[in-house]
Amino acid sequence: MSISHSTHQSLPKRIIPGILRRLERVGVLVHPFLVASGCEKPLDLDLSRVDYTFGFLTEADIDELLRLEPKPSRETLQGWFREGKLCFGVKHGSHVVAKMWCDVDAFNFPPNFRELADDEVYLFAAYVDPDYRGRNLATMMRGACCASLRSKGYTRFCSYTDYFNYASRKVHGKLAARYELLRLHLDLFGLWSRTFTLKRY
């Protein structure tokens, strides 16, 4: 099974995702995703010249995280902090306007789960306030996050993105992240699931 370049180019970008959403509503999950890893290039950005602050957040910021994005729940966020996961955020004034989570133990996306090496970090659950989109915040946040993680001794960063999430793929491209795998996760009515590797880059 594969997703050909010609098929991708010949169909409007919204048609296939729309079909997949309809299938999911009846219990058939078809989820193509890309796995990225490697050392992303540092961004040539002077973050001191932008009207935001970048840095790791703490449990004291949970109310702001929930204001930004109501899910996951307070209990889940508290658990992530206590497990040692890191949350990198962007603030405009006192408000968190973007965030990204970092797992230093495992690539915790179930269809691609694996334990990480000592110098690896899995980046996940990135989100930007809708009112702040279109300002290059996602790219700046990821670049600043990786720079901060490098200062802690982490040199390799991995993540996944939905195949049809073109905005996320654009961010990966700006940072020269390298795609390793195109994978497809299937789940039929919660009774059977499997993940296939469609392509190695």
Side-chain angles (χ1 to χ4, degrees):
M1 184 180 296
S2 64
I3 300 173
S4 72
H5 180 74
S6 60
T7 299
H8 168 256
Q9 292 296 324
S10 63
L11 292 174
K13 290 182 177 180
R14 296 181 181 178
I15 289 182
I16 295 177
I19 293 171
L20 299 184
R21 286 193 294 271
R22 290 184 178 88
L23 287 172
E24 187 173 358
R25 284 199 287 269
V26 299
V28 178
L29 175 64
V30 182
H31 181 198
F33 62 93
L34 290 156
V35 178
S37 67
C39 296
E40 299 180 19
K41 70 178 182 181
L43 280 178
D44 185 20
L45 289 174
D46 182 359
L47 297 180
S48 67
R49 298 175 64 86
V50 296
D51 192 23
Y52 305 100
T53 56
F54 299 77
F56 290 105
L57 305 178
T58 69
E59 285 193 62
D61 295 297
I62 284 180
D63 285 342
E64 270 298 302
L65 288 170
L66 291 170
R67 184 199 58 79
L68 173 66
E69 187 182 28
K71 293 182 180 180
S73 68
R74 179 181 298 275
E75 292 72 22
T76 297
L77 297 181
Q78 289 173 334
W80 285 356
F81 276 117
R82 292 168 187 172
E83 290 166 5
K85 293 180 175 64
L86 305 173
C87 186
F88 192 85
V90 183
K91 288 186 176 182
H92 187 211
S94 61
H95 290 308
V96 175
V97 296
K99 56 83 182 177
M100 170 181 286
W101 282 88
C102 315
D103 193 326
V104 300
D105 296 315
F107 197 129
N108 65 47
F109 176 50
N112 200 70
F113 183 89
R114 67 176 176 83
E115 294 184 353
L116 298 176
D118 290 342
D119 64 340
E120 277 187 297
V121 182
Y122 168 56
L123 306 176
F124 71 104
Y127 186 82
V128 176
D129 186 322
D131 291 338
Y132 286 80
R133 292 176 187 171
R135 306 185 191 188
N136 206 31
L137 267 189
T139 303
M140 289 191 290
M141 174 174 66
R142 187 169 175 121
C145 179
C146 290
S148 295
L149 289 167
R150 284 190 186 92
S151 72
K152 293 179 176 289
Y154 298 102
T155 59
R156 292 187 290 163
F157 312 104
C158 55
S159 60
Y160 87 92
T161 186
D162 295 343
Y163 184 80
F164 295 106
N165 187 339
Y166 299 105
S168 178
R169 291 174 63 174
K170 185 176 181 180
V171 170
H172 279 92
K174 288 181 179 179
L175 292 163
R178 180 171 57 87
Y179 290 121
E180 285 193 340
L181 302 170
L182 170 60
R183 308 199 76 194
L184 180 68
H185 179 66
L186 299 178
D187 188 302
L188 304 180
F189 312 106
L191 301 174
W192 178 91
S193 66
R194 186 169 293 179
T195 302
F196 303 91
T197 296
L198 304 181
K199 183 176 180 179
R200 296 181 184 274
Y201 293 93

